[in-house]
Amino acid sequence: PQVTLSHDGSELRLAPLLVAVANCKQYGSGAKIAPKAVVNDGFLHLVVVNRTPWYRLIRYLPNLFNGTLDQAPFLKTTLTKELHAEFDREIPYHIDGEIRFGGTKFSATIEPQALTLQVPREYRVS
């Protein structure tokens, strides 16, 4: 589906393979969708995976798990504090692993320092 992404005063309309909004580096499965994300830096990582042939995707599959997916030429990551996405039709999507059916839009914002968490040293901001 077509999606319109609005953030930081800009708007982008595209038909990507995947859009992810991440506050942390990885999904629960260990897939590092936003390898440079830092949980307490006050930013969301907007990750857009553009459509590309399957054989190019497969070539970069190891990068998804070894923390170098951001080197893939078909992927773009943007830092933002707020995002609005609107789809041209209803699509299923998930929020933190919970599937939502029939959505046409969603918004994400970050509240810096809203929670106190214990995280591994490599996730901390100096």
Side-chain angles (χ1 to χ4, degrees):
Q2 292 280 322
V3 61
T4 301
L5 301 173
S6 305
H7 63 93
D8 300 327
S10 68
E11 187 173 285
L12 179 64
R13 185 156 172 82
L14 63 159
L17 179 64
L18 174 93
V19 174
V21 182
N23 188 29
C24 298
K25 296 177 188 296
Q26 67 187 45
Y27 293 135
S29 64
K32 295 176 180 149
I33 191 68
K36 292 188 174 136
V38 179
V39 72
N40 62 345
D41 68 354
F43 289 99
L44 295 169
H45 284 234
L46 170 60
V47 180
V48 176
V49 178
N50 292 305
R51 293 189 182 277
T52 193
W54 65 268
Y55 53 85
R56 288 186 74 205
L57 290 171
I58 289 173
R59 178 175 175 255
Y60 284 91
L61 189 59
N63 299 63
L64 180 59
F65 293 93
N66 70 20
T68 59
L69 185 63
D70 56 341
Q71 296 173 8
F74 49 81
L75 183 139
K76 181 172 178 168
T77 301
T78 304
L79 296 179
T80 188
K81 291 184 182 256
E82 185 172 347
L83 168 75
H84 302 284
E86 189 165 342
F87 303 96
D88 64 350
R89 64 179 186 265
E90 290 189 359
I91 62 159
Y93 58 91
H94 73 87
I95 298 173
D96 197 26
E98 299 293 324
I99 295 177
R100 309 284 188 221
F101 290 100
T104 59
K105 56 182 151 181
F106 73 87
S107 295
T109 59
I110 192 157
E111 302 262 346
Q113 307 297 318
L115 295 174
T116 301
L117 302 172
Q118 287 187 322
V119 297
R121 187 172 310 281
E122 63 268 17
Y123 281 68
R124 296 182 189 164
V125 173
S126 303

